[in-house]
Amino acid sequence: MWYDNSMTDDTYVSSGWHYRYGWLRRPELDDANGYAYEEADGDLIFTNRITHSVRAYLDCWLDAETGKKYLTFTRLPVKCWAKASK
């Protein structure tokens, strides 16, 4: 797997494009904070990563302490995804 288990006690669940998890790309809200995404619950998330100007790839994790799932932007650049899955 592309991540190191020693980095967290949380469990990796899955990965996918932002729309898989109900996130919307909101280019009309882009500003100095970065590219805007809206989470399914309406919260806005901003990112400055140039690859997120059109779409973002997310990782889903299960919190070891609470048992709740949460999302993070994947740490790998787009060109590495194919290599990491091998």
Side-chain angles (χ1 to χ4, degrees), residues 3-70:
Y3 62 90
D4 180 351
N5 285 335
S6 67
M7 294 189 308
T8 181
D9 291 332
D10 297 350
T11 303
Y12 169 80
V13 177
S14 62
S15 295
W17 294 111
H18 65 274
Y19 44 80
R20 175 181 178 186
Y21 301 103
W23 284 28
L24 300 173
R25 173 70 175 97
R26 298 292 303 272
E28 71 278 10
L29 299 177
D30 291 354
D31 61 18
N33 294 309
Y35 305 108
Y37 285 84
E38 184 178 348
E39 290 182 311
D41 64 3
D43 289 343
L44 291 178
I45 304 295
F46 291 89
T47 172
N48 286 316
R49 192 181 297 178
I50 191 69
T51 57
H52 293 166
S53 65
V54 176
R55 59 186 177 187
Y57 207 72
L58 304 174
D59 295 329
C60 180
W61 296 86
L62 182 67
D63 187 288
E65 192 172 311
T66 66
K68 294 182 180 182
K69 290 182 181 177
Y70 65 93

Side-chain angles (χ1 to χ4, degrees), residues 64-85:
E65 192 172 311
T66 66
K68 294 182 180 182
K69 290 182 181 177
Y70 65 93
L71 297 169
T72 62
F73 290 113
T74 193
R75 295 181 61 211
L76 294 175
V78 176
K79 64 183 178 182
C80 295
W81 293 331
K83 294 177 185 176
S85 64

